Amino acid sequence: MKKNIRFILLFNIAFSCLLLTSCKKEEKFSEIPHITFTSVVPQQNANGIVETGELTIHFQDGDGDLGLDEDDLDPPFDTSSVYYYNFFIDYYKKINGEFQLLELNGSQNARFPRLSDKETESIEGDICINILLNTYDLTTTYDTLKLKCHIVDRKLHKSNEVESGEIIVKKK
């Protein structure tokens, strides 16, 4: 009799846990992408000079329309448009304790691929991109950088802007 009671009790507990997990409500996010800064991991060359890094942000999007395929080249995603890119990065250099926007030769923006085939579901995850960190004035021995970035979805909704902490880049 005790074995039957234990079995019934364990069965009820297991069944209750199954019900609770199967009734988990799908998270719903805003259709305007939201990002948070995760990390920048500088990478050194053979001479110990930081040249590149891996930038990671966390994203949430309520309608799953993040990313562009290689053949997404019709306006507004054509090569002559600012929206050819969907990951926008601004570089700031610390000068006399103040961060100033760097005017770089060429864009450092990026294009990441579609993250979902379903444009009606909420998605969440991380985007990691490789970036150049040694792209500026070579007149100083050490520089401190900061990055600000945002993303844009296929409906051209702009996410919030996030910024990195300070990044020390050793020069030649």
Side-chain angles (χ1 to χ4, degrees), residues 117-136:
D117 292 333
K118 300 176 185 174
E119 290 196 21
T120 57
E121 69 179 9
S122 291
I123 59 173
E124 179 176 22
D126 292 321
I127 299 171
C128 301
I129 63 166
N130 290 318
I131 57 172
L132 294 174
L133 290 175
N134 203 345
T135 60
Y136 45 88

Side-chain angles (χ1 to χ4, degrees), residues 134-146:
N134 203 345
T135 60
Y136 45 88
D137 181 14
L138 299 174
T139 60
T140 57
T141 305
Y142 290 91
D143 283 316
T144 304
L145 293 178
K146 177 170 63 174

Side-chain angles (χ1 to χ4, degrees), residues 90-93 99-103:
D90 287 323
Y91 287 68
Y92 292 81
K93 180 178 180 179
F99 282 99
Q100 298 176 8
L101 180 64
L102 286 169
E103 297 295 329

Side-chain angles (χ1 to χ4, degrees), residues 40-53:
V40 172
V41 179
Q43 299 165 345
Q44 297 180 352
N45 66 16
N47 297 324
I49 307 299
V50 171
E51 290 184 347
T52 62

